[in-house]
Amino acid sequence: MNRPAPNLAILGLQWGDEGKGKLVDLLSPRYRQVVRFQGGNNAGHTVVVDGQSIALHQVPSGALHPECFLVVGSGVVLNLEVFQQELDRLKQRGFEVTGRLLMSEKAHLILPYHIALDRWREGGASKIGTTGRGIGPAYEMKAARMGVRLADLKHPDTLRDKLRQGYDEVSIRLGQDADLPTLDAMTENLLQQAQPILPCIGDAQDHLYKAWKRGETILFEGAQATLLDLDHGTYPFVTSSNCSLGGLFTGTGLSPKALDKVLGVGKAYTTRVGAGPFPSELFDSVGDRLREVGREFGTTTGRPRRCGWFDAPITAHACRLNGVDGIGLMKLDVLDGFPEVGIVLGYRDGEGRVTTRIPTCISDWDQLKVEVKYFKGWTEPTRGIKELSKLPKEARVYVEALAESIETPIAYLSTGPDRVEGFVYPGTFLEGMLD
Ligand code: IMP
């Protein structure tokens, strides 16, 4: 374990749920530090081990490897109750994290009034289709300088005062709809929830800096994905953190010099949950088949995911934005048996011009019509294939066209949900890292 490996970021290239968890899990044995740097329990990483799937929301996926030290960076927002439940579930399954978990004292808490505000807004006319976990309000109160941080849990005497401002604002805004516990009850509850994790709260920036200087390997695990990035995604239909590369640095406090490689993760088709632009969405039986075969239902909320063909312009945008060195292409096997498979190579705008430009305004997205190139499907299954030479010819043509369309090499190809289903592409930076 822990043989030399590049310090690596694993980032989503579409609208989330690309299968980042599988890659983090596969690569974790090479890494000493596994770090989450943004997002909260809106994330859901499903890792399949020996046919059993484990869903992780806030705990880094390295939890399944006893030699990994787990770090939750300052850019994360945390729901303590959910975090504790996740630790308990891991423990029941034989994964102990005591002594190998550090949570940044600068990370912000998700509080009951954040959840109330999120759900209240989603009940109104302008819905984002959020996960309803209070993520947006937690980040917005952080920016408004009225957030509550993990460090505050170490000061029980002043905790109630820290909670008050957000509590009052939400109570005034929502009135009777707020249905919140009293401030005293909320404070008491939080202090109780904090008790078991107090020893795990500390200076994550210093920890990571020292680990880097000691030459320890670091794996950065992104949550959500580039098209959900607050600045560079399909705003306002995005999450409230920076899920692209910039968020890694603000969310850990590490210098960009600490990072060596970026592995982008995308599916061989596209999905999204929640509202917002999705030009390649398929509303017909093809979309239904992708959903059924790909089991495209949310890990966090169980919502059916919208499905469509691989969208090259959005994925190429994500590759450029994150400086992706290679792509982990997931779920190729879901396309097995389709008579034909498509790649969206560009969009035709309202005036009939073909473009690969990503619009900024929702009204511009709405006008786009996709330009799809179709490829012959394959009859031999790709499921479980572990070697490039074994791929059906048509599948190989498809995958190569896809890599060309995003001007990024494929580093890993996944052919099924289990750890063993897939392979590293020869000659890429991942070569030798999964042996
Ligand atoms: P929020 O992050 O709960 O505020 O939700 C904002 C948008 O991001 C919604 O469209 C969610 O469905 C989407 N979203 C948030 N987290 C994830 C994720 O982990 N996977 C996919 N979509 C997500």
Side-chain angles (χ1 to χ4, degrees), residues 75 120 307:
W120 178 76
C307 297

Side-chain angles (χ1 to χ4, degrees), residues 349-363:
D349 68 17
E351 275 141 39
R353 286 181 302 241
V354 176
T355 176
T356 53
R357 211 185 141 263
I358 304 298
T360 299
C361 294
I362 294 303
S363 53

Side-chain angles (χ1 to χ4, degrees), residues 15-17 42-44 128-132 135-136 224 228 238-239 273-274 303:
W15 280 285
D17 311 309
N42 48 348
I128 300 290
T130 72
T131 58
I135 308 297
Q224 289 83 47
L228 289 172
V238 291
T239 190
V273 260
R303 289 180 288 176

Side-chain angles (χ1 to χ4, degrees), residues 21 83 95 111 122 125 147 229 238 248 259 287 294 374-375 378 392 422 425:
F83 196 82
F95 302 104
L111 298 160
E122 287 293 303
D229 181 281
V238 291
L248 186 158
L259 183 70
Y374 290 97
F375 298 79
W378 44 95
Y425 253 59

Side-chain angles (χ1 to χ4, degrees), residues 15-18 20 40-45 118 122 128-137 139 223-225 228 236-241 271-276 299-301 303 305:
W15 280 285
D17 311 309
E18 294 92 351
K20 298 177 287 292
N41 59 322
N42 48 348
H45 291 174
D118 193 2
E122 287 293 303
I128 300 290
T130 72
T131 58
R133 303 292 194 260
I135 308 297
Y139 279 114
Q224 289 83 47
L228 289 172
F237 297 98
V238 291
T239 190
S240 298
S241 64
T271 64
R272 106 166 271 178
V273 260
T299 319
T300 301
T301 58
R303 289 180 288 176
R305 295 179 185 142

Side-chain angles (χ1 to χ4, degrees), residues 118-148:
D118 193 2
R119 294 189 178 165
W120 178 76
R121 281 192 188 134
E122 287 293 303
S126 47
K127 291 186 183 50
I128 300 290
T130 72
T131 58
R133 303 292 194 260
I135 308 297
Y139 279 114
E140 90 197 43
M141 289 199 190
K142 172 180 177 176
R145 293 150 298 176
M146 52 197 270
V148 183

